[in-house]
Amino acid sequence: MKWTEEHELLMLRELMLLQPWLHKKGTSERGDDWEKLAVSLNAIPYPQFRVTQRSVRDHYSTMEKRRKKVREEDRASGIAPEEDKELDQLLDETIELFDESDKITDQTKQKQEEEAKKAEEMRKRSLETFKDSAKRNADEQPKKGRASGPSTLAYLKDRAEVEATLKRDELEIKRLELALQAKEQEGRQQQFDMMNKQTRDIQQLQQQFMQMNANMMQQHQQQTLALMELMKKFAGK
């Protein structure tokens, strides 16, 4: 299908209602929202849509790249841009919401990778400590005959220390995992609250704008009727 400005505006309005940025990038939940968007657009009688989940996402990506390029050119020129149309305003809002959501997701993923790397390093150090201790005790034991009492006690002592170290490391890894999960949950809740507030603010502004337009149209109609009545009076004379 051929996309027009009217098509794009309707798509962005529907996108603001579905809010796919509330779900993580790459998740099935976000994909479901894009699918719902395609279904919703195809149900509009005019202008007619013939889209799929893939085509809607692809066209939105095209719009996003186009808008970012325009903003970069405006900044580079140093000339104040013209007042944005509703289409540009909505596109800027959705771009910002997607970018903020993806940024939080990337930061969370990076933290998880760092914590996993740290846990792996701790595990390796614990294994190395155990191996070094076992090797040292093996070297200290006599090559012939049974192990002496002090050597056996030293080995058991070292082994107990290594096992205690491994246990502490396991507990520390578990603690880090729980802390990371708590931070991730807190971040998701903060993101959800922030985006909900932004959406409510946008909807409120849209309602105010529509009400203002309705008032202006009503005032214009009243003025037109008054003018027509005045013209009738003059015509009667």
Side-chain angles (χ1 to χ4, degrees), residues 9-27:
L9 183 58
L10 287 173
M11 182 190 73
L12 292 176
R13 287 174 178 171
E14 290 292 325
L15 198 62
M16 292 298 294
L17 294 176
L18 290 170
Q19 305 179 50
W21 46 80
L22 294 180
H23 305 295
K24 285 184 179 181
K25 176 175 60 176
T27 60

Side-chain angles (χ1 to χ4, degrees), residues 121-139:
E121 290 176 353
M122 291 175 64
R123 187 185 69 83
K124 287 181 179 179
R125 284 200 302 269
S126 298
L127 290 174
E128 289 171 358
T129 302
F130 179 78
K131 290 178 181 179
D132 291 342
S133 177
K135 184 176 183 299
R136 183 175 65 253
N137 283 296
D139 292 340

